[in-house]
Amino acid sequence: MHQINIGMIGGGTVGSGVFHHLQNNGALMESRLGLKLSLPKIAVKSLDKSRAYNIPKSLMTTDWASVVNDPNIHLIIELVGGTTLAKTMVVSALKLGKPVITANKALISAHGEELFALAQRYGTNLYYEASVAGGIPIIKVLREGFAGNRITHMYGIVNGTCNYILTRMKHEGSDFQPTLQDAQKLGYAEADPTLDVDGFDAAHKIGILASLAHGFWVKPGQIHVEGIRPVTKTDIEFANKLGYTIKLLGIVKLIEGATSARKSKSVNRKSIQVSVCPTLVPNTHVLASVNQVFNAVFVRGDAVGDTLFYGRGAGKDATASAVLSDVADAALDLKYGLKQRVAPFVAFEKNGVVLPVDEMVSRYYLRLSVMDRPGTLAKVSAILAASKIGISSVIQPEGHEGDTVPLILMMHTAPYAAMKKALVKISKLPVVKTAPVMFRVENFE
Ligand code: HSE
């Protein structure tokens, strides 16, 4: 029987999960695939580190190159993370014509195109199911399941750390900083939480999904990103009064007739919005109920309609599940000699552009801290009216103590550029005491 020997680089949380689940389910996978799977070599940083699941010392080495270069190893799994050494490892394996499986969203997001081209040049493949939304098989869904669809909308809750923090803030009425600190203590947030709470991890994942769905590579710098640090318990409370829940939402929308596309010299530009921002989601929408560390990706295709994929987006078990699905694909491809049965990425859209943030149209939630004086609301609404931005509702809670009161305004749709200009004027009003806070509102139309 055909045997595939796997070399893994990385024996941390996900790596030890892959080892454990391959031990548990390897025989099942072998009967499903009709081949033998073996994991004889694992490169790790330290042999003595304690692991989520134990790995026998006899399988480990600290020399990653000896794993990649071993002629008996057919398939490499990279679970190191980062974009420097991990890139060297992946490039070395691909240049040897060995297929690579990675869970590394930062690497794929930043260097995907280059690595896919390299895989093609060396007659091999690069698999990355685990790079987006952990255990949810969303890469397969977009690449294979929805191959017959034009994807018009995608909405993703793809960062478990942010979702955990926002869920606790809502349920406990707590503020961002103490909730983050507690999440760090409990191991739900990293000691340096920047990548997660400032939205970059979600942007890597949303960029990968946008690229796959729309056929041109969206670079991390083209994505408008706002994190969850500005969200306060007051915002969560008022959003809830208005019937909304605040989520860190990645949005990918096909935009018909965008100005930048029309102005472009070449005709028929295809514009997409790609953004990651704290967003008010109606409580009646299914994404408002995605809580704790769970991820969800909502996809609308012109044939299939609305679909939802829900599951754990991180962790040793769910991410291992995604890696093992790639092991199955890669092993079958090796068995049948199919170098790129399913290409990692197909650049089918030659005229794609990412919509500039100023052209993004949305509804907005605005929170101001103002002096409770006659005429305050009139001054604010005059600026918004002059900017042609309509107000759909206003709340100014009674019984507030102190010199200032919160003033919450919900807006009708407006381009971001108009909203930004109006905010500059509003923040200069003497009655407005602190910097305005603004979040998007999404109605999923
Ligand atoms: N840190 C990520 C999250 C998991 O919180 O969802 C890895 O991408």
Side-chain angles (χ1 to χ4, degrees):
M1 195 187 260
H2 209 92
Q3 172 160 326
I4 305 297
N5 297 328
I6 306 164
M8 186 158 75
I9 313 175
T13 307
V14 178
S16 70
V18 170
F19 176 77
H20 172 81
H21 290 288
L22 195 58
Q23 293 280 105
N24 270 2
N25 296 341
L28 174 65
M29 287 181 72
E30 287 176 348
S31 13
R32 282 181 173 147
L33 301 170
L35 44 74
K36 290 214 86 56
L37 295 171
S38 156
L39 177 51
K41 261 191 174 172
I42 303 172
V44 295
K45 236 193 264 171
S46 153
L47 298 176
D48 299 315
K49 194 184 132 176
S50 79
R51 295 170 206 286
Y53 293 112
N54 193 38
I55 299 177
K57 265 201 178 150
S58 58
L59 299 183
M60 292 193 284
T61 167
T62 52
D63 178 10
W64 67 265
S66 73
V67 176
V68 170
N69 293 325
D70 184 337
N72 294 316
I73 296 288
H74 309 116
L75 168 63
I76 299 295
I77 302 176
E78 178 274 309
L79 300 172
V80 168
T83 54
T84 45
L85 183 57
K87 188 178 176 205
T88 308
M89 293 163 172
V90 170
V91 167
S92 313
L94 293 176
K95 282 187 170 172
L96 290 170
K98 296 188 183 184
V100 175
I101 294 168
T102 181
N104 192 333
K105 60 233 70 175
L107 180 69
I108 294 294
S109 167
H111 303 292
E113 271 185 308
E114 178 192 340
L115 296 173
F116 301 146
L118 201 68
Q120 195 170 22
R121 189 167 345 129
Y122 287 89
T124 187
N125 211 337
L126 180 57
Y127 306 81
Y128 53 102
E129 184 62 70
S131 70
V132 181
I136 305 174
I138 192 68
I139 303 290
K140 238 183 207 308
V141 163
L142 290 178
R143 206 161 45 182
E144 300 175 38
F146 290 165
N149 279 262
R150 194 163 178 259
I151 306 295
T152 58
H153 300 74
M154 286 193 285
Y155 303 94
I157 295 174
V158 289
N159 185 271
T161 306
C162 289
N163 207 36
Y164 175 81
I165 291 172
L166 291 173
T167 303
R168 283 195 52 189
M169 285 173 72
K170 180 170 181 181
H171 292 170
E172 296 164 23
S174 55
D175 247 321
F176 171 76
Q177 201 55 39
T179 315
L180 167 65
Q181 279 163 2
D182 204 47
Q184 286 171 316
K185 239 189 269 164
L186 295 169
Y188 288 106
E190 304 277 346
D192 177 1
T194 310
L195 206 57
D196 291 317
V197 301
D198 293 323
F200 301 117
D201 172 79
H204 293 149
K205 297 166 181 169
I206 281 298
I208 294 171
L209 296 186
S211 305
L212 269 179
H214 293 288
F216 65 97
W217 201 256
V218 175
K219 297 181 178 64
Q222 295 177 293
I223 304 172
H224 178 73
V225 185
E226 294 171 23
I228 64 166
R229 287 185 206 264
V231 180
T232 64
K233 64 179 178 191
T234 311
D235 297 314
I236 290 184
E237 185 189 322
F238 281 108
N240 195 38
K241 281 196 177 129
L242 291 158
Y244 293 87
T245 297
I246 301 181
K247 294 290 182 194
L248 183 72
L249 201 64
I251 299 182
V252 184
K253 281 185 195 174
L254 185 58
I255 309 290
E256 310 285 355
T259 314
S260 52
R262 285 199 309 272
K263 276 189 199 154
S264 159
K265 279 183 196 133
S266 44
V267 282
N268 292 330
R269 300 293 268 177
K270 173 182 177 182
S271 280
I272 56 169
Q273 169 185 337
V274 190
S275 57
V276 172
C277 302
T279 305
L280 275 70
V281 173
N283 286 336
T284 49
H285 193 274
V286 65
L287 286 178
S289 310
V290 175
N291 285 322
Q292 303 293 343
V293 293
F294 279 91
N295 282 202
V297 185
F298 183 99
V299 184
R300 183 174 294 157
D302 61 350
V304 71
D306 288 353
T307 59
L308 181 72
F309 304 88
Y310 171 88
R312 287 188 187 276
K316 59 189 190 310
D317 303 309
T319 312
S321 161
V323 170
L324 290 180
S325 94
D326 277 346
V327 166
D329 272 352
L332 282 179
D333 291 349
L334 282 168
K335 178 180 173 184
Y336 294 112
L338 303 165
K339 286 172 179 167
Q340 291 214 331
R341 177 182 52 90
V342 178
F345 168 71
V346 181
F348 59 83
E349 177 57 68
K350 301 287 175 248
N351 290 314
V353 285
V354 176
L355 193 72
V357 59
D358 279 350
E359 283 187 45
M360 286 182 199
V361 174
S362 174
R363 294 190 62 211
Y364 292 93
Y365 158 101
L366 180 61
R367 176 170 54 80
L368 306 173
S369 180
V370 298
M371 301 297 292
D372 191 6
R373 282 199 200 136
T376 295
L377 185 56
K379 287 186 181 107
V380 172
S381 54
I383 292 174
L384 290 168
S387 312
K388 297 191 170 49
I389 302 168
I391 300 170
S392 63
S393 63
V394 179
I395 308 181
Q396 187 190 304
E398 285 192 8
H400 243 267
E401 295 187 357
D403 295 339
T404 59
V405 287
L407 178 64
I408 316 293
L409 298 109
M410 290 287 274
M411 310 299 166
H412 288 298
T413 52
Y416 182 65
M419 210 45 221
K420 213 168 49 178
K421 261 194 209 157
L423 275 197
V424 171
K425 290 183 190 156
I426 288 172
S427 57
K428 285 184 185 153
L429 288 173
V431 289
V432 173
K433 289 302 171 196
T434 53
V437 172
M438 183 180 86
F439 301 125
R440 276 128 184 105
V441 179
E442 184 56 55
N443 285 341
F444 301 91
E445 279 149 7

